[in-house]
Amino acid sequence: MTTKPLKFLLIATLSAFAMTGCMFSMKPPTNLDYGRIRSSQAGLYRAAIKPDGDSIPIGKLQKWTLHVDAANGASVQAANIEIRGGMPQHGHGLPTKPQVTRELGDGNYLIEGMKFNMGGWWELRFRVRSVIGVDTLVFNVKL
């Protein structure tokens, strides 16, 4: 290898480490809403998250319930729900791939496979698709 590619590789590597370090030192926004009830981004849905238990443990697989209503208050049935999330400050996603495993009725959906591997600010995104339309709910969770 010539010295130009080596210098470029060194600079690129150092830049990547510097950017990662900056993300870790970022503080979460001061106005984050950690409420467990939320309206979707376009206003089609209103939903509530309920972890299985009083607290959210770190490092353990969990079951959660997501309750979804339409904007008019009617329970949403037969929805397709995709779950994503991660730690915005750290630049990584969830350590697992939680999924809705069962519709419980009355707008309630069982989510299995939820897990958090460290404390801090997590963002959870639920993309809901039903006959009403497609919209996203974003919840902030602090552990």
Side-chain angles (χ1 to χ4, degrees), residues 38-40 45-47 124-126 128 135-139:
R38 177 87 64 244
S39 291
S40 60
Y45 303 104
R46 186 152 175 83
L124 298 174
R125 294 179 166 274
F126 299 90
V128 179
D135 205 351
T136 302
L137 297 136
V138 180
F139 290 88

Side-chain angles (χ1 to χ4, degrees), residues 3-4 8 13 18 39 43 53 71 79 88 91 93 105 120:
T3 57
K4 268 190 174 177
F8 176 76
T13 303
S39 291

Side-chain angles (χ1 to χ4, degrees), residues 1-2 6 8-9 22-23 28 33 36-37 42 46-47 50 53 55 72 80 87-88 91 95 105 116:
M1 255 187 179
T2 65
L6 283 175
F8 176 76
L9 182 60
C22 289
M23 284 193 316
D33 179 357
R36 297 201 179 167
I37 299 172
R46 186 152 175 83
K50 184 175 184 266
S55 63
N72 66 6
N80 176 291
M87 295 188 87
F116 303 94

Side-chain angles (χ1 to χ4, degrees), residues 76-93:
V76 174
Q77 310 297 321
N80 176 291
I81 300 169
E82 296 173 24
I83 304 152
R84 295 207 169 104
M87 295 188 87
Q89 289 176 276
H90 293 200
H92 64 76

Side-chain angles (χ1 to χ4, degrees), residues 53-67:
D54 294 332
S55 63
I56 302 171
I58 295 173
K60 293 184 178 181
L61 284 174
Q62 305 161 49
K63 295 178 183 178
W64 286 34
T65 302
L66 176 69
H67 177 82

